[in-house]
Amino acid sequence: MALKICPGDKLLRIESFPIVGNAPNGKKTLGWLGTATRIVLQRTSDNKKALSCRAAASSSWPASNAFLQKVTQNGASRKEDKSEPEHGLTQFQEVLDTQAASNGTTLEVSTSQMGVPGAYSEAAAAKAYPRCEAVPCEQFEAAFSAVELWLVDRAVLPVENSLGGSIHRNYDLLLRHRLHIVGEVQLGIHHCLMGIPGVKKEELQRVVSHPQALAQCEQTLTKLGVTREAVDDTAGAAQFIAAHNLRDTGAVASARAAEIYGLEILMDGIQDDLDNVTRFLMLAREPVMPRTDRKFKTSIVFTLEEGPGVLFKALSVFALRDINLTKIESRPQRKRPLRVVDDSNNGSAKYFDYLFYIDFEASMADVRAQNALGHLQEFATFLRVLGSYPMDMSPMRA
């Protein structure tokens, strides 16, 4: 899902110039400094206001062909208009959010893999940005491209579920695109089996939903003896059976989807485990300013040379500084899936070449985090900070 923030100000121009400086370890490869940008806005009272802040470089990745075919002429003309930059505004998220809240304006949010209203991504977007308007995207890639093309200001995407595990596609897209993680939301997932009003659950012959939702309700669906069919999203499944009046077909979706599309809930809370939680990330063109006055989390990705104890050394840079790791994920590199190593005793050997994704509880404004990454960079062949952002400390709800 993608979100668009509309503070009521008109963008006049963006003036950028480079910041010269070194990372804490004296190197310039982590991209912590970037550019300084002055944003000139025109308020409704014709008073000009300039905002200065620091930001990293924007993405240069093109949008996918499939997404470009879906983009409206308005979106295409915005990219062609040279008076407006091709990529995102700099980091003034908190300024805009504060202005919008004080002025009573609406935030527009776009979320990926959320084809229609009533999906869980929409609920996550509403939790992150209560005053927002959701803009649905059919595919994960489309949400990334929507932010990069200036069609929206935020993207909200699921990255892991307590039952289904990690959503690997979004980890790959985080590396491919140059968006920044600016927040997270943990949302309790409560699945319902729904159908056309008047239909009993025993009459159902098949159930449609997102593959993750079907997998999370496997025990219940197996007992019902129904055929399972996967679709793009949960709420889209509910909309489909309502639009076509399919009396032999049920959907697994949220209670709100049943309400929106006039369906009747046949079974409530059918997930295999009641503690079913999905973690969503908020993505933006520019990072938020790291702080130390509240709980922050930082996400990074890096690669290592093959060798004994190398991963242990990488993880020890955090343990030595009492930094708690909340997630470790490994993904084979697409461009270099295998590495051939010449062993003089046994000949050549082939190893998977991995990317390591790590989340840890510390802000990049914390000296411990800066020193840990400086230490890690001494033996990492590649290192990139995906984002340093506030942790979701609120109670989870379905």
Side-chain angles (χ1 to χ4, degrees):
M1 175 177 282
L3 315 172
K4 188 172 183 181
I5 297 179
C6 307
D9 293 337
K10 179 182 178 182
L11 174 68
L12 295 183
R13 66 182 182 275
I14 298 179
E15 304 166 347
S16 301
F17 52 92
I19 297 176
V20 179
N22 294 328
N25 61 355
K27 299 184 180 182
K28 299 182 180 180
T29 56
L30 291 181
W32 290 339
L33 298 181
T35 59
T37 305
R38 180 176 296 276
I39 306 161
V40 182
L41 302 174
Q42 179 71 54
R43 300 190 64 84
T44 54
S45 60
D46 292 332
N47 294 326
K48 296 181 180 179
K49 183 176 182 180
L51 306 174
S52 296
C53 48
R54 206 174 69 182
S58 297
S59 171
S60 59
W61 283 88
S64 64
N65 292 334
F67 177 74
L68 290 176
Q69 293 174 1
K70 300 177 183 297
V71 175
T72 62
Q73 291 299 323
N74 178 51
S77 63
R78 290 182 67 179
K79 185 176 179 182
E80 294 170 359
D81 184 2
K82 301 304 181 182
S83 64
E84 183 175 86
E86 185 175 359
H87 301 292
L89 289 173
T90 56
Q91 88 188 46
F92 60 114
Q93 173 193 358
E94 294 185 10
V95 177
L96 294 187
D97 290 352
T98 302
Q99 288 180 354
S102 61
N103 296 338
T105 55
T106 301
L107 306 181
E108 266 183 36
V109 184
S110 95
T111 60
S112 145
Q113 209 65 10
M114 196 279 304
V116 294
Y120 294 107
S121 294
E122 184 187 45
K127 181 180 178 182
Y129 302 95
R131 307 175 67 100
C132 74
E133 179 181 347
V135 181
C137 300
E138 293 185 1
Q139 300 295 331
F140 292 136
E141 178 96 26
F144 281 85
S145 298
V147 178
E148 291 177 327
L149 288 176
W150 271 63
L151 304 179
V152 296
D153 299 285
R154 302 286 185 272
V156 178
L157 300 104
V159 290
E160 58 179 327
N161 176 265
S162 57
L163 300 182
S166 299
I167 301 176
H168 296 127
R169 176 58 178 163
N170 283 337
Y171 277 97
D172 295 338
L173 290 173
L174 280 172
L175 184 62
R176 177 180 175 184
H177 294 264
R178 297 292 297 184
L179 298 182
H180 302 268
I181 304 173
V182 296
E184 67 171 1
V185 162
Q186 298 187 54
L187 186 72
I189 304 299
H190 190 85
H191 290 310
C192 300
L193 177 64
M194 58 197 68
I196 299 296
V199 173
K200 298 181 180 180
K201 63 182 180 181
E202 292 79 12
E203 300 177 39
L204 299 179
Q205 298 181 13
R206 64 173 181 167
V207 171
V208 296
S209 189
H210 188 274
Q212 286 265 348
L214 294 175
Q216 292 164 17
C217 305
E218 182 177 0
Q219 295 179 12
T220 300
L221 299 179
T222 300
K223 290 179 181 179
L224 289 175
V226 293
T227 301
R228 283 160 270 189
E229 296 185 13
V231 294
D232 285 341
D233 69 284
T234 55
Q239 183 192 50
F240 180 79
I241 65 173
H244 295 83
N245 195 33
L246 301 177
R247 303 186 64 83
D248 64 342
T249 305
V252 174
S254 66
R256 182 169 183 269
E259 179 183 356
I260 292 174
Y261 303 109
L263 299 178
E264 184 176 325
I265 296 178
L266 307 178
M267 297 180 70
D268 191 17
I270 65 170
Q271 60 271 16
D272 295 343
D273 193 331
L274 295 179
D275 294 327
N276 184 12
V277 180
T278 295
R279 178 171 171 247
F280 295 81
L281 295 180
M282 273 66 71
L283 306 176
R285 291 177 290 267
E286 308 300 342
V288 295
M289 186 70 73
R291 293 156 51 181
T292 56
D293 59 347
R294 61 173 297 183
K295 287 278 190 178
F296 258 65
K297 183 182 290 184
T298 299
S299 298
I300 65 172
V301 57
F302 60 91
T303 57
L304 299 168
E305 288 288 350
E306 184 65 35
V310 177
L311 182 57
F312 172 79
K313 293 177 183 178
L315 300 181
S316 67
V317 306
F318 302 100
L320 291 172
R321 296 166 177 86
D322 294 324
I323 297 177
N324 183 42
L325 301 184
T326 60
K327 182 174 178 62
I328 303 175
E329 181 77 25
S330 62
R331 295 286 293 151
Q333 291 197 54
R334 288 179 176 269
K335 294 184 178 180
R336 291 181 53 192
L338 289 175
R339 179 187 305 174
V340 179
V341 178
D342 185 19
D343 190 323
S344 58
N345 294 327
N346 302 315
S348 61
K350 294 182 178 180
Y351 298 92
F352 277 104
D353 206 1
Y354 285 101
L355 291 159
F356 296 96
Y357 293 83
I358 284 182
D359 295 343
F360 59 87
E361 292 183 348
S363 168
M364 282 307 301
D366 189 335
V367 176
R368 295 180 306 149
Q370 297 174 14
N371 291 337
L373 293 193
H375 190 179
L376 176 60
Q377 196 182 13
E378 293 179 4
F379 44 87
T381 56
F382 165 78
L383 173 61
R384 177 175 152 195
V385 177
L386 298 172
S388 189
Y389 48 93
M391 291 178 58
D392 181 12
M393 306 297 292
S394 62
M396 290 172 287
R397 58 181 175 85

